[in-house]
Amino acid sequence: MVDLLQVSGLTKRFGGLVAVNNVSFTVREKEILAVIGPNGAGKSTLFKLIASFLRPTSGEVLFKGERISDLAPHIAARKGIVRTFQETTIFKNMSVRENVIIAHHLRSKANLLGFFLGTKLAKADEQAFGTSADEILEFLGLSAISSEIAKNLPHGHLRALGIAIGLATNPTILLLDEPFAGMNHDETMKAVAMVRRLRERGLTVLLVEHDMPAVMKISDRIVVINFGEKIAEGTPAEIQSNAKVIEAYLGSEDEAIGL
């Protein structure tokens, strides 16, 4: 596998607080890599740094060899690094299909005025976006609910819609923010299968997640963060037997890390 993303010496300070401290790792093409750690470990800050929602105090993130740490989030997204959110990016009073169509506008060839005036280029964009939205919904198994209003969806379908919105931007790397949070066992297993299909589609997946059984089931590799520092990296089997990881999770071999 080729290294697609390189995180090198990434550090973020907020005043006297060091939220992320000299973290380095790579993400390989078409792999699923999870970042885990106890609450307050610095995972969310690290995620924001990688997606260019925060600028690092020091260190850098390289995507395909290009530094992206100083880019605006929407520019990083256009280059192919897309972060999904939980429910904040969903228009609750629009249909599932409408939400996915709107998300395509990051890829539009027409400008805002063109869409307002209904130019030929804007109409071509709208037709292409509708076709793409239908394909994405079918791929994710959501075609049957395409006309449902988003606010009426159950939790599992809302999370799936968030992934569909991410796919609409045509990402190379999809950053998933706690994709299994709040799900029951059946919903989690469906979501795990969905994330695996993303890799089959050719995507690279980087996720932050607290559901350790799901993480152990789905990940190729895992990076463990504690108190802002990387304490371990390896396969699920290596992480489960790592003494530093066991100590970080309540100091014992515990169900929290899938043991």
Side-chain angles (χ1 to χ4, degrees):
M1 288 186 180
V2 176
D3 288 343
L4 195 61
L5 190 79
Q6 295 173 295
V7 176
S8 302
L10 212 55
T11 298
K12 182 62 178 179
R13 295 186 180 91
F14 297 98
L17 172 66
V18 182
V20 174
N21 188 17
N22 196 32
V23 172
S24 299
F25 61 90
T26 61
V27 183
R28 300 165 186 163
E29 187 177 12
K30 297 181 183 179
E31 83 167 335
I32 299 173
L33 185 141
V35 176
I36 68 170
N39 288 331
K43 303 183 300 297
S44 294
T45 301
L46 177 63
F47 218 50
K48 291 174 183 176
L49 290 166
I50 293 170
S52 294
F53 281 81
L54 288 174
R55 291 191 176 188
T57 304
S58 61
E60 63 182 1
V61 179
L62 301 178
F63 175 60
K64 296 181 179 179
E66 177 187 358
R67 180 183 169 95
I68 61 167
S69 301
D70 298 323
L71 299 180
H74 70 280
I75 300 298
R78 283 179 181 155
K79 289 182 177 293
I81 302 174
V82 176
R83 176 190 176 193
T84 66
F85 297 86
Q86 296 183 6
E87 295 180 17
T88 56
T89 56
I90 294 173
F91 293 98
K92 295 292 185 70
N93 291 316
M94 290 186 176
S95 72
V96 168
R97 185 174 186 269
E98 287 169 338
N99 268 278
V100 181
I101 287 174
I102 288 174
H104 281 79
H105 282 78
L106 187 69
R107 299 159 51 183
S108 63
K109 297 176 183 178
N111 58 27
L112 185 60
L113 181 60
F115 283 104
F116 180 75
L117 296 176
T119 64
K120 184 177 180 180
L121 188 59
K123 289 178 180 178
D125 274 347
E126 290 291 354
Q127 183 176 0
F129 296 164
T131 300
S132 177
D134 291 337
E135 185 275 327
I136 289 170
L137 292 173
E138 182 177 358
F139 171 75
L140 294 177
L142 301 176
S143 295
I145 63 166
S146 64
S147 61
E148 291 286 332
I149 301 301
K151 67 181 179 182
N152 297 329
L153 297 178
H155 183 73
H157 281 157
L158 272 176
R159 288 302 176 90
L161 176 55
I163 292 175
I165 288 170
L167 284 182
T169 65
N170 195 30
T172 301
I173 298 181
L174 196 58
L175 280 65
L176 303 180
D177 184 9
E178 298 188 21
F180 314 126
M183 293 186 180
N184 61 36
H185 180 267
D186 289 344
E187 288 174 331
T188 299
M189 290 303 99
K190 289 179 181 178
V192 164
M194 183 182 296
V195 174
R196 283 179 173 154
R197 290 202 302 274
L198 296 178
R199 192 242 301 276
E200 293 168 5
R201 192 182 176 95
L203 269 69
T204 301
V205 177
L206 175 62
L207 60 94
V208 168
E209 182 54 59
H210 287 287
D211 187 328
M212 289 304 99
V215 166
M216 295 298 168
K217 184 181 292 289
I218 200 174
S219 304
D220 297 310
R221 289 187 302 131
I222 298 170
V223 170
V224 187
I225 305 294
N226 195 29
F227 295 113
E229 298 184 353
K230 186 178 83 170
I231 62 170
E233 178 180 348
T235 65
E238 290 169 340
I239 293 303
Q240 285 177 311
S241 61
N242 186 290
K244 289 184 178 179
V245 178
I246 293 169
E247 182 180 359
Y249 280 90
L250 305 179
S252 62
E253 295 186 341
D254 189 86
E255 290 182 1
I257 54 170
L259 295 173

